[in-house]
Amino acid sequence: MPPPPTAALSSSSSLCLFPLSSYSSPKKTQLGFCPSFPFTRLTNFTPTRRLMTCSAVSIEKETLISHRPHTFLRETDGLDDGSVRSRFQRMIMEVQDSVCGALGAVDGAGKFKEDAWTRPGGGGGISRVLQDGDVFEKAGVNISVVYGVMPPEAYRAAKANVTDQKPGPVPFFAAGISSVLHPKNPFAPTLHFNYRYFETDAPKDAPGAPRQWWFGGGTDLTPSYIFEEDVKHFHSIQKQACDKFDPSFYPRFKKWCDDYFYIKHRDERRGLGGIFFDDLNDYDQEMLLSFATECANSVVPAYVPIVEKRKNTPFTESHKAWQQLRRGRYIEFNLVYDRGTTFGLKTGGRIESILVSLPLTARWEYDHKPEEGSEEWKLLDVCMNPKEWI
């Protein structure tokens, strides 16, 4: 589960954006963010106790702040200048509000806990987590806006092409939203989404090199049981968002998603896919900003109707045990393969935000094999052999 520069990639699934998870092709990375910058106008904060080290690079502590600021951008970027940085930040803040509002309405009882934080080097983030509600066991929706300097190994973790090795520390800016949603009912699927924007500047030992930028992200579904109508609904909403910009996007990004969320040591996918893209900069920047916005805004209509339909479905302890086993697979992917998580850890990202993608409970049984032909077997079969849903 996902997220850059002193950032946490996401996945999955904010936040250190993400790892919540986070996202990338088999050769790419998911970004998540955890910021840093001196917001001197804010008071009444409580510093965290963590001081992390990335390689030989010392990473600053986050500072919790008492309220959500209007912006995490530096004044030199302009607060409302119409730049991509400013508009992307505004978009992820609005999407965080809309997604949390929709999830809160679905749950009914659970309330989101909010932590806002900054970093001395620039930027900040807002982590929101609903835990142990009536519907959601854990739902995290995080945003981060980060300025910083990446050591070479963190740059290689965030950028897919391993031949693209910068000689020294790389200044960067990253902003993103990342979320992972774990319902209690085993018939209601887990969801992960992450959308991010990344810029790098020339390192000090490579003056004159051009600024680089790219977009990344995606939305994917991880059910424990297959309801074909639910999966088709989810994929149809992803396709609609893609088709507004380029009919080649959905088939391309659907395959990318299947390839990325692959648990190699199990020879199976984490779930039933969706869309995923990274290092996207070969289209007009304005078009890609609009595309990322459309995808982020499609999360609620793609997911909430499914949860509403399944949240009260009766289930047995056997159904719950299977859900716990599938969550084990989720954890294995996030901690072993997700580049967003790796990036967040290597850049000293906020640990609580990076690991918020993990469920409260999971299960590992020795040599568990579902009975052939069972509903559990059908789910596993599709995870091993991805199919076209629409």
Side-chain angles (χ1 to χ4, degrees), residues 118-129:
T118 63
R119 275 192 149 160
I126 300 167
S127 299
R128 290 182 182 170
V129 179

Side-chain angles (χ1 to χ4, degrees), residues 136-261:
F136 293 101
E137 178 181 281
K138 192 178 187 184
V141 186
N142 304 327
I143 64 169
S144 65
V145 177
V146 182
Y147 298 84
V149 176
M150 289 185 286
E153 63 269 30
Y155 178 81
R156 289 192 290 272
K159 197 83 169 71
N161 189 352
V162 294
T163 64
D164 183 15
Q165 297 189 12
K166 299 296 183 183
V170 180
F172 72 83
F173 167 87
I177 181 168
S178 181
S179 175
V180 175
L181 314 174
H182 293 293
K184 288 183 173 180
N185 194 304
F187 294 115
T190 285
L191 181 86
H192 164 234
F193 74 89
N194 173 289
Y195 292 97
R196 59 199 172 274
Y197 174 68
F198 204 125
E199 290 182 7
T200 60
D201 289 320
K204 292 182 180 179
D205 48 6
R211 168 178 288 180
Q212 299 184 48
W213 60 265
W214 64 91
F215 290 85
T219 306
D220 67 285
L221 196 71
T222 306
S224 299
Y225 290 92
I226 296 177
F227 292 93
E228 194 153 326
E229 64 187 278
D230 294 352
V231 186
K232 287 183 176 180
H233 167 79
F234 174 80
H235 276 268
S236 69
I237 297 297
Q238 307 310 304
K239 185 177 186 300
Q240 288 172 24
C242 290
D243 286 353
K244 289 181 180 181
F245 297 87
D246 190 318
S248 73
F249 277 4
Y250 174 75
R252 174 184 169 192
F253 298 156
K254 191 269 184 186
K255 183 180 186 306
W256 200 338
C257 188
D258 288 337
D259 290 343
Y260 177 68
F261 292 102

Side-chain angles (χ1 to χ4, degrees), residues 103-382:
L103 297 179
V106 170
D107 193 276
K111 302 296 182 184
F112 278 93
K113 178 183 186 233
E114 178 176 289
D115 288 327
W117 42 273
T118 63
R119 275 192 149 160
I126 300 167
S127 299
R128 290 182 182 170
V129 179
L130 185 160
Q131 193 161 281
D132 203 20
D134 280 356
V135 173
F136 293 101
E137 178 181 281
K138 192 178 187 184
V141 186
N142 304 327
I143 64 169
S144 65
V145 177
V146 182
Y147 298 84
V149 176
M150 289 185 286
E153 63 269 30
Y155 178 81
R156 289 192 290 272
K159 197 83 169 71
N161 189 352
V162 294
T163 64
D164 183 15
Q165 297 189 12
K166 299 296 183 183
V170 180
F172 72 83
F173 167 87
I177 181 168
S178 181
S179 175
V180 175
L181 314 174
H182 293 293
K184 288 183 173 180
N185 194 304
F187 294 115
T190 285
L191 181 86
H192 164 234
F193 74 89
N194 173 289
Y195 292 97
R196 59 199 172 274
Y197 174 68
F198 204 125
E199 290 182 7
T200 60
D201 289 320
K204 292 182 180 179
D205 48 6
R211 168 178 288 180
Q212 299 184 48
W213 60 265
W214 64 91
F215 290 85
T219 306
D220 67 285
L221 196 71
T222 306
S224 299
Y225 290 92
I226 296 177
F227 292 93
E228 194 153 326
E229 64 187 278
D230 294 352
V231 186
K232 287 183 176 180
H233 167 79
F234 174 80
H235 276 268
S236 69
I237 297 297
Q238 307 310 304
K239 185 177 186 300
Q240 288 172 24
C242 290
D243 286 353
K244 289 181 180 181
F245 297 87
D246 190 318
S248 73
F249 277 4
Y250 174 75
R252 174 184 169 192
F253 298 156
K254 191 269 184 186
K255 183 180 186 306
W256 200 338
C257 188
D258 288 337
D259 290 343
Y260 177 68
F261 292 102
Y262 176 58
I263 308 172
K264 297 176 186 175
H265 61 271
R266 300 282 190 181
D267 189 25
E268 64 187 65
R269 274 71 187 171
R270 189 178 73 178
L272 302 188
I275 58 171
F276 173 81
F277 57 91
D278 207 1
D279 292 358
L280 205 60
N281 62 5
D282 51 350
Y283 297 83
D284 177 75
Q285 193 175 31
E286 289 294 324
M287 186 270 257
L288 291 179
L289 174 60
S290 296
F291 174 57
T293 301
E294 182 72 24
C295 289
N297 285 330
S298 74
V299 168
V300 170
Y303 181 64
V304 167
I306 298 174
V307 178
E308 288 280 18
K309 188 187 301 183
R310 307 300 173 189
K311 66 181 182 180
N312 295 319
T313 303
F315 62 88
T316 65
E317 288 191 13
S318 176
H319 294 136
K320 191 68 179 178
W322 174 245
Q323 180 196 48
Q324 298 293 293
L325 288 168
R326 295 312 302 171
R327 285 178 173 178
R329 298 290 206 269
Y330 204 95
I331 292 170
E332 288 177 28
F333 177 84
N334 278 29
L335 296 185
V336 177
Y337 297 113
D338 186 69
R339 283 190 174 86
T341 302
T342 299
F343 181 84
L345 296 175
K346 284 187 175 182
T347 55
R350 184 172 185 262
I351 297 303
E352 290 301 316
S353 295
I354 295 172
L355 299 184
V356 74
S357 65
L358 305 183
L360 291 181
T361 59
R363 179 185 183 104
W364 286 266
E365 285 184 21
Y366 179 74
D367 198 27
H368 181 275
K369 292 181 175 67
E371 180 181 353
E372 186 169 350
S374 67
E375 293 303 312
E376 291 80 8
W377 180 87
K378 291 176 183 178
L379 183 281
L380 185 59
D381 181 62
V382 177

